[in-house]
Amino acid sequence: KTQIGSSAMAYKRNPMRSERVCSLARYVMGLPNGAANTHASQWFERTLDDSAIRRIILPEGFLAADVILNLLANISDGLHVWPNVVKAHAMAELPFMATEVILMECVKAGGDRQELHEAIRVHSMDAGAVVKGEGKPNDLMERIAKDPLFSAVHHKLESMIDPILFVGRAPEQVDEFILEEIDPILEENKDLLVVESVDGVNV
């Protein structure tokens, strides 16, 4: 909260630890090149020209990866999510995603698919132009609500853009993954989880 990210831009806060992770990750990703070049030169024969590079890239690779994991644990532990910002971003795009559902519901109610498709295409293009060209909020739902072609869904437009309708099995998949993959690993290593880390992150 007291971080000064820029002397010129007082509002700015730098994601310093995330930036450090990116920097170290670039270093780690570059290490396999040394091993690859060694293999290319050795042709898998036992020579000693790999001795020095092994002494460097193996320990430094593990040490750097360890620091990255410690930083990520620290970042995750202090992660702050802004639900209203997430919702605003989702709702800005959701009307476009809902067009297929709206189209099919109107077709089920007896509408002409081609006519409805053209109308919703035009409305989508116009709404997109407002968002991108004028910087205004997405007004696609308002346009559809005023169009008599879509009268079959006018009474339920609001409920048709509920984000929960577009996540599929994501919640169940997360629960299954945690239960089947994560929990067994945590249980197997529960003794390590209570060991106090000596690698504190202060900056």
Side-chain angles (χ1 to χ4, degrees):
K1 291 183 179 179
T2 58
Q3 181 200 129
I4 298 175
S6 169
S7 59
M9 296 174 281
Y11 67 88
K12 186 179 181 185
R13 288 190 296 173
N14 295 329
M16 294 186 296
R17 293 172 190 173
S18 297
E19 290 170 344
R20 197 178 310 157
V21 167
C22 291
S23 178
L24 289 169
R26 291 191 197 105
Y27 172 71
V28 173
M29 289 188 295
L31 293 179
N33 288 333
N37 289 330
T38 301
H39 268 311
S41 300
Q42 286 186 323
W43 286 22
F44 297 105
E45 293 185 20
R46 190 178 184 280
T47 58
L48 299 179
D49 62 319
D50 66 341
S51 179
I53 195 168
R54 280 177 182 269
R55 293 167 191 260
I56 297 172
I57 67 172
L58 290 177
E60 290 198 357
F62 279 106
L63 287 170
D66 185 65
V67 173
I68 289 171
L69 292 173
N70 272 301
L71 285 167
L72 288 174
N74 178 269
I75 292 168
S76 300
D77 186 54
L79 193 65
H80 191 109
V81 178
W82 301 95
N84 289 332
V85 176
V86 174
K87 182 179 180 181
H89 283 300
M91 296 311 293
E93 299 297 330
L94 208 54
F96 295 125
M97 296 174 62
T99 54
E100 184 178 359
V101 179
I102 293 170
L103 176 63
M104 297 315 297
E105 284 297 309
C106 289
V107 170
K108 287 179 187 176
D112 180 272
R113 191 186 187 287
Q114 290 303 113
E115 186 179 18
L116 289 163
H117 184 281
E118 177 59 18
I120 210 164
R121 186 190 69 79
V122 172
H123 287 319
S124 297
M125 293 298 104
D126 291 345
V130 167
V131 173
K132 299 168 189 173
E134 302 177 32
K136 294 180 179 178
N138 190 333
D139 65 350
L140 178 56
M141 289 298 105
E142 288 85 347
R143 293 171 183 273
I144 291 174
K146 294 175 183 176
D147 191 333
L149 276 176
F150 299 94
S151 58
V153 296
H154 281 173
H155 66 288
K156 57 179 180 179
L157 270 179
E158 198 67 32
S159 63
M160 294 178 77
I161 56 170
D162 184 346
I164 199 66
L165 300 175
F166 298 87
V167 298
R169 289 195 66 251
E172 290 82 3
Q173 288 174 321
V174 170
D175 290 339
E176 290 169 9
F177 181 75
I178 291 174
L179 181 65
E180 298 172 10
E181 305 293 337
I182 302 301
D183 285 347
I185 294 173
L186 294 177
E187 178 61 28
E188 184 180 348
N189 297 281
K190 61 184 178 182
D191 293 338
L192 295 175
L193 297 175
V194 297
V195 176
E196 185 175 353
S197 175
V198 296
D199 300 321
V201 180
N202 298 314
V203 179

